[in-house]
Each structure stands twice: as structure tokens, then as C-alpha cells.
Amino acid sequence: MVESILLTATRVATFLGSQLLTTASGFFFERDGRMFLVTSRHVVFDQPSSHLPDRLEITIHLDDNDLTRVTVLSLRLYSEQRAVWRQGKDSVARLTWP
């Protein structure tokens, strides 16, 4: 049996139309019964480098005992020219010195 923590990560491929642009990684995060894919922002949008994919493909393991059983999901990033992905926000811990 494979450790379940290993199944939380996924390969992320970025595409513009049918053209493969890059590959990256991401992980799954569940909150309030909803599943989220978390990856770096520059994977889905990086204007300075002109990396502007329109969809992602992620690999999902189907069997935690047989890692060769996978499926690939295609996820569009835009609908009617509006982003369907969300940018997470984090808080910055500030240290103060005496």
C-alpha cells in the first residue's frame, strides 16, 4: 500500500490550445468538503515571461495500491475571458524585535 500523503501531489501540465507549455507540480487541499488544487501562481499566470496558458492537465491516481492506474483531467483556466481559478492569499507573519 502506498502512503496516502504521496497521493496528494500531482503533475500539472500547462497548455495553450493543444500546445504543451510547461510542467509543474501541485497538491490537493480539502476544506469544507471541497477539493482544491494548489500550485504556484506563475504556473497559471506569469505575464512578465508571457506564460499565459488557457488550461491545465492534472494526473489523478485511481488506485492507491496500483500507481499505474491514472487518469488525466483537463481543466480550463478561463470561461468567457474570465479566470475560473482563484488566487490564494496568505498572511505574512511579521517579527518584531525589541
Side-chain angles (χ1 to χ4, degrees), residues 73-84:
L73 299 178
S74 181
L75 308 170
R76 64 186 172 152
L77 295 174
Y78 298 91
S79 176
E80 298 179 9
Q81 300 177 335
R82 294 183 59 125
V84 295

Side-chain angles (χ1 to χ4, degrees), residues 37-58:
L37 170 67
V38 179
T39 191
S40 296
R41 182 177 187 270
H42 68 267
V43 173
V44 296
F45 181 83
D46 188 35
Q47 194 154 10
S49 70
S50 297
H51 178 71
L52 307 169
D54 60 6
R55 70 182 176 92
L56 305 177
E57 284 186 0
I58 60 173

Side-chain angles (χ1 to χ4, degrees), residues 24-44:
S25 62
F27 65 92
F28 298 105
F29 172 72
E30 183 181 358
R31 173 177 274 172
D32 299 329
R34 296 179 65 193
M35 185 69 67
F36 295 90
L37 170 67
V38 179
T39 191
S40 296
R41 182 177 187 270
H42 68 267
V43 173
V44 296

Side-chain angles (χ1 to χ4, degrees), residues 59-70:
T59 304
I60 306 291
H61 290 280
L62 299 173
D63 185 335
D64 61 356
N65 291 309
D66 181 359
L67 294 181
T68 64
R69 295 197 57 228
V70 297

